[in-house]
Amino acid sequence: MTKKYTLDRIDDGFYVFLKRDDESEQLIIPLEEVKVNLNEGDIVEIETNETGYRFEVLKEETSDMKGKVSNLLEKLKNKK
């Protein structure tokens, strides 16, 4: 099964992912089980299978989301 998550943080040897459509649902995976380079805020597709996990960084979605967040921050700064 494949689901989309956002990497929320790296905490005490674990990646903490939040499910894209329900951020109250977390997926916690030990660092050694992730074989790709991830950064906080990355949107990833994670597939679970019999051998573990398969990760795909969704670069375009991550870039779009970072752009939206940046625009929102600029709007907030300019309201003062």
Side-chain angles (χ1 to χ4, degrees), residues 37-68:
N37 186 24
L38 298 176
N39 298 301
E40 291 177 359
D42 282 350
I43 298 172
V44 295
E45 207 167 65
I46 302 174
E47 178 184 342
T48 54
N49 55 42
E50 61 280 349
T51 60
Y53 301 97
R54 183 191 64 76
F55 299 88
E56 180 182 346
V57 179
L58 302 174
K59 293 179 187 211
E60 190 171 316
E61 285 186 46
T62 299
S63 179
D64 289 349
M65 183 57 66
K66 287 181 179 180
K68 288 177 186 175

Side-chain angles (χ1 to χ4, degrees), residues 27-44:
L27 178 63
I28 301 171
I29 301 175
L31 292 176
E32 62 271 6
E33 290 190 33
V34 180
K35 306 298 184 214
V36 295
N37 186 24
L38 298 176
N39 298 301
E40 291 177 359
D42 282 350
I43 298 172
V44 295

